[in-house]
Amino acid sequence: MAALLAVAAGAVHAGKDYSARIDYLYLDANEGQAAGGHAALRFGDEVYHFEYAEGGLIRAARQAFEPFRLLYTETENRTLHISRIAVTPDTYAALHQRFETRLERQNAQFEVPEALRRDREILEMLADATGAPPRLLVKGLGLFEPAQSNPPEDPALAELRARVLTRHGADGIRMRMDAVRQAISALRPDPPDDPLPADVHSSAPWRYRFADRYHDFHALLEAYRLLERAAPLRRDAYHAPPGREFALKPDEIDALQAFSRKLAESVLATLEHPRPDQGPGLLVALARLEALGKTLRYGRLVFLDTLKGREAAELPWRGAPPIFSAADADFRQARRELSNGRELDEVGYSLLENAANRRLDARKALAGRVPFRLRVPSGLMPARPGIPEEIVRPALGADEMRDAARGLRAAEAAHGERLAALYRYHLVNRNCVTEIFRTLDEGARPGVEGLGGRIEPMAANAIPFVSAQNVERRYRVVESFELASRRKRFLETLDSEAYLAELSPLSSAIYRPNDEDSLFLFFTDAPALARPLFGAANLATGGLETLAGIVTSPFDSGRTFYLGLRGMLVSLPELAFFNIRKGTFHRGGG
């Protein structure tokens, strides 16, 4: 309390408005890549951090706070320590933008070799598929019934087709399909002349690549084909749930009917003068028109499935109510937007569509205790891929395509090497901590005026728990608290007998061994005095798992051997009263 009053007094004396808050997040260590702990910075609901990525690189990431917390405190069983820093609103905005810019620039830089790879793979596929047609997946096409099943026509698309034919004549759709085929035939790969990034501040220019144009033209071609046969949606591509919560009121029906008319007009305008990049969006618009048609016919909300194929994050049931409440609140808010008298647009409809998906998913989880999809972002577009009925080849020879692919491969490798040089992970020189402080130092340094002090992005400050101590000492911290790990919270509820049973995973009521953890006999995160003794037992257990791994290596590619070695390594600090391993709750956990 005294510290709070001192900070407040200092703020008043300096005449500064330190009403904004930035949270420095430190997560305890655990087994695996978490052995050194982790650090992040929170701006409101957004968490920015730097993760170890494939290829030994360090990548910037942004995540909503609640999924971040659930992943680390629940699944990975790590206590989250929070240092709340008082800053001015201007400092808050400037630093928030600085981390967002860092993320956008890095993503753009990494997109270049990915785009070169996509171009190369398309050219190699076309060059090597001189006999059989190449396999291409078009986003959004999998929402519709294939022509081979001879499905009945959808009324909404049949009505739209009649309007197109009235405007453009009986051959209007076929003529436009021929124009798309000619455009695909004329496609040529771009020269691989993207400049290598000079440093982490370089911005890679966006380019509409050959592979993207090839894909989008085929999406446009298939959109015309779907319209021509008024193809209906696949039954598993949409939801028409029963129940009062999805029944619509008259004013909601009016709003959706007005939006359906506006969407149909937008589709007609797109068909008049189409661009290739509009192809995937056109497929989604046709699917939404069908869903809206069903909604208006049934008088209840029918919506496309935006969650199919998305990984479901395991959620402990004690943490479920807030997530379900949030899904319900989001759905209710999206429903209220239908009745506020304002015209519904595509962004609003997308929010409604996603909120309905999450609410239905929550209802299923509550009824059948199935996993709830925690990490699905809002605004997710339904993009189920499908195989087009027709593949059109560019008018290029096989040798010409192979030559272009070789050039793209060389450019892809050059960009990969350059990015590795810029973002190679290093234990103390470039890790999750140093990149936070390095980003804070970009441009005008916040210094005393911004955060209350400065921390050098250097080796001495690179250890996460050391960085958290430095933040407490040097920044304008007005509050410090922790969000306990899943097991730690559980232990606080136990009597002495049940607590003793939790000292070993063999008798634990909450922990179950899983394929992400090495074998061990005792938890050492709580009983500090017994830690060396327990650590010795864990070290012996890791040695036995390593020996077993030698025998099983031909059958499991050395995984048991690796886990045993890792178990021995995280057991060694326990001999010196230091704890790393806490057990995780990945799949197969309790």
Side-chain angles (χ1 to χ4, degrees), residues 42-215:
R42 178 186 179 188
F43 297 85
D45 189 49
E46 294 182 328
V47 175
Y48 292 84
H49 56 132
F50 294 86
E51 300 177 306
Y52 184 86
E54 183 180 0
L57 306 181
I58 190 87
R59 291 288 305 270
R62 181 187 62 232
Q63 194 171 5
F65 176 71
E66 189 61 13
F68 178 89
R69 183 193 69 79
L70 287 165
L71 171 63
Y72 285 104
T73 65
E74 299 289 342
T75 303
E76 296 196 1
N77 193 35
R78 300 159 68 180
T79 294
L80 173 59
H81 305 268
I82 301 176
S83 299
R84 184 150 290 168
I85 308 161
V87 297
T88 66
D90 287 345
T91 297
Y92 179 97
L95 293 181
H96 189 190
Q97 184 58 52
R98 189 174 298 177
F99 276 85
E100 182 64 22
T101 300
R102 173 81 183 265
L103 175 68
E104 291 174 353
R105 284 176 177 168
Q106 191 184 68
N107 286 345
Q109 289 175 351
F110 276 85
E111 170 58 22
V112 173
E114 279 297 304
L116 293 169
R117 178 191 58 79
R118 291 195 300 270
D119 282 3
R120 172 180 59 79
E121 289 180 348
I122 284 287
L123 287 167
E124 290 174 344
M125 177 188 72
L126 291 169
D128 295 338
T130 52
R135 181 179 174 82
L136 178 69
L137 291 177
V138 172
K139 295 177 183 178
L141 187 55
L143 297 168
F144 298 89
E145 287 283 1
Q148 297 89 323
S149 61
N150 195 27
E153 292 187 346
D154 178 81
L157 258 61
E159 179 182 346
L160 187 67
R161 178 186 60 194
R163 296 178 64 183
V164 171
L165 296 179
T166 299
R167 289 189 183 189
H168 304 290
D171 295 329
I173 295 177
R174 293 294 179 91
M175 291 172 61
R176 280 162 172 73
M177 292 174 69
D178 288 340
V180 175
R181 292 187 184 98
Q182 292 172 11
I184 297 174
S185 180
L187 281 177
R188 296 294 181 270
D190 303 302
D193 55 2
D194 299 88
L196 296 175
D199 51 37
V200 298
H201 307 295
S202 301
S203 297
W206 181 84
R207 296 172 65 175
Y208 192 24
R209 308 275 177 169
F210 170 79
D212 298 328
R213 298 197 305 273
Y214 188 74
H215 169 275

Side-chain angles (χ1 to χ4, degrees), residues 1-21:
M1 184 66 180
L4 287 173
L5 292 174
V7 170
V12 172
H13 178 73
K16 295 285 187 180
D17 173 18
Y18 293 116
S19 59
R21 299 291 183 265

Side-chain angles (χ1 to χ4, degrees), residues 519-522 524 530-544 567 571 574-575 581:
L519 295 179
F520 61 103
L521 280 182
F522 295 102
T524 61
R531 194 167 288 164
L533 180 62
F534 287 177
N538 289 337
L539 182 62
T541 303
L544 291 174
S571 298
E574 296 169 350
L575 303 178
R581 172 172 42 208

